[in-house]
């Protein structure tokens, strides 16, 4: 069996772009000429999994990543890996188990997805950034010195950030009437949301580094290329509907509340813990998530290019 680069969450927000990008980069480098990309999914029958399986050099496997053991990683000859874990309250237990297995199996290098950089601290009010902080602290410990890793801290994803605006435009086009435009954005705070594909593309470039030691134990901040305020987002909406928006609610968390009320995190979870997710947006409202904070290594290797205006157009075509 060939040396393997494992992509955990290959059909997810960021994993799909990792899987699509890696084979081309690997093919161009003799060092990786005999490596394979093993894309892990929960369902081989999903359209995304079937599309990925058509890419030369990619093998798609149906497997639950939380069942991965050191023996399984050895059997698959995994030398490098990408992981985008879930954000449920048991994330630390399950993702840390993966990293322990990787350490024991002798995996060389891992690229993982964290969350918005200003939130990743032990005293943050939302629960899941604390989990990411704990995973990074675990990986920074002396016990994990043999495992190379990079943690990516992306801003909020553009498709989620613009979803309400896109739906507002579609409804206006259909009915010719306006409801209230409820935006997560603050009116004046500049935010640079990033498209998840561009996070995956950067991750693929890291995984394909002949010598990734320069990125070992690094935590890179990823934002989109362009800041946008809530007021500017309203301006984009008005361009698409051809008239003024009559009523706007800024800093509106209706979309997030709907997600939480739908059972996010699974049954039996603490409502207080799950509800703390609402605090995750406060750093955006404080202006701490703008384009200027992007790590220079990101701009050098695979600078994000997709703007809010471009992504909004693509959402309207869906």
């Amino acid at each position: 069996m060939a040396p393997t680069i494992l992509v955990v969450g290959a059909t997810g927000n960021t994993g799909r772009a990792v899987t699509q990008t890696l084979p081309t980069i690997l093919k161009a480098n003799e060092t990786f000429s005999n490596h394979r990309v093993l894309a892990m999914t929960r369902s081989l029958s999903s359209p995304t999994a079937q599309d990925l399986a058509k890419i030369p050099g990619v093998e798609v496997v149906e497997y639950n990543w939380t069942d991965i053991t050191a023996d399984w990683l050895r059997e698959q000859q995994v030398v490098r890996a990408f992981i985008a874990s879930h954000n449920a309250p048991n994330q630390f237990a399950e993702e840390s188990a993966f990293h322990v297995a990787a350490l024991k199996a002798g995996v060389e290098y891992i690229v993982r997805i964290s969350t918005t950089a200003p939130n990743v601290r032990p005293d943050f009010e939302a629960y899941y950034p604390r989990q990411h902080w704990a995973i990074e602290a675990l990986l920074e410990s002396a016990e994990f010195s043999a495992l190379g890793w990079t943690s990516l801290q992306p801003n909020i994803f553009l498709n989620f950030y613009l979803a309400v605006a896109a739906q507002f435009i579609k409804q206006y086009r259909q009915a010719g009437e306006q409801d209230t435009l409820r935006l997560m954005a603050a009116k004046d705070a500049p935010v640079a949301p990033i498209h998840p594909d561009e996070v995956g593309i950067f991750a693929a470039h890291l995984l394909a580094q002949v010598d990734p030691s320069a990125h070992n134990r690094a935590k890179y901040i990823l934002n989109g290329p362009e800041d946008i305020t809530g007021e500017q987002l309203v301006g984009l909406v008005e361009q698409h509907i051809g008239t003024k928006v009559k009523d706007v609610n800024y800093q509106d968390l209706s979309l997030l509340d709907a997600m939480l009320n739908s059972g996010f995190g699974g049954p039996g979870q603490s409502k207080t813990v799950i509800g703390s997710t609402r605090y995750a947006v406060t750093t955006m409202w404080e202006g701490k998530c703008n384009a200027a904070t992007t790590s220079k290594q990101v701009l050098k290797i695979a600078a994000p290019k997709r703007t809010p205006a471009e992504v909004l157009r693509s959402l309207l075509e869906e």
Side-chain angles (χ1 to χ4, degrees), residues 170-280:
K170 289 179 179 180
Q171 289 179 346
Y172 179 80
R173 288 175 173 176
Q174 290 174 357
E177 296 179 356
Q178 293 188 28
D179 197 352
T180 300
L181 176 57
R182 304 180 184 277
L183 296 179
M184 186 182 302
K187 182 178 180 180
D188 299 317
V191 179
I194 187 168
H195 195 281
D197 283 355
E198 299 197 298
V199 179
I201 290 168
F202 178 69
H205 279 273
L206 291 182
L207 289 165
Q209 296 282 312
V210 174
D211 179 8
S213 60
H215 308 287
N216 186 26
R217 302 197 163 206
K219 289 176 276 190
Y220 292 144
I221 300 171
L222 293 94
N223 299 295
E226 185 177 289
D227 290 330
I228 187 168
T229 65
E231 191 169 37
Q232 289 169 331
L233 179 51
V234 172
L236 280 182
V237 172
E238 290 173 343
Q239 289 177 26
H240 284 281
I241 65 174
T243 189
K244 289 289 184 180
V245 173
K246 296 177 180 178
D247 188 23
V248 184
N249 275 2
Y250 294 105
Q251 298 178 223
D252 187 292
L253 298 182
S254 300
L255 180 62
L256 180 59
D257 287 339
M259 182 185 74
L260 297 178
N261 293 333
S262 69
F264 175 79
Q269 302 292 347
S270 162
K271 291 183 179 179
T272 300
V273 171
I274 293 296
S276 71
T277 302
R278 301 177 92 255
Y279 292 105

Side-chain angles (χ1 to χ4, degrees), residues 19 21 48 54 90 120 140 169 223 263 268 311 318:
T19 310
T21 306
T48 302
K54 298 174 184 177
N90 62 336
V120 185
E140 288 175 331
I169 295 168
N223 299 295
V311 174
E318 293 179 355

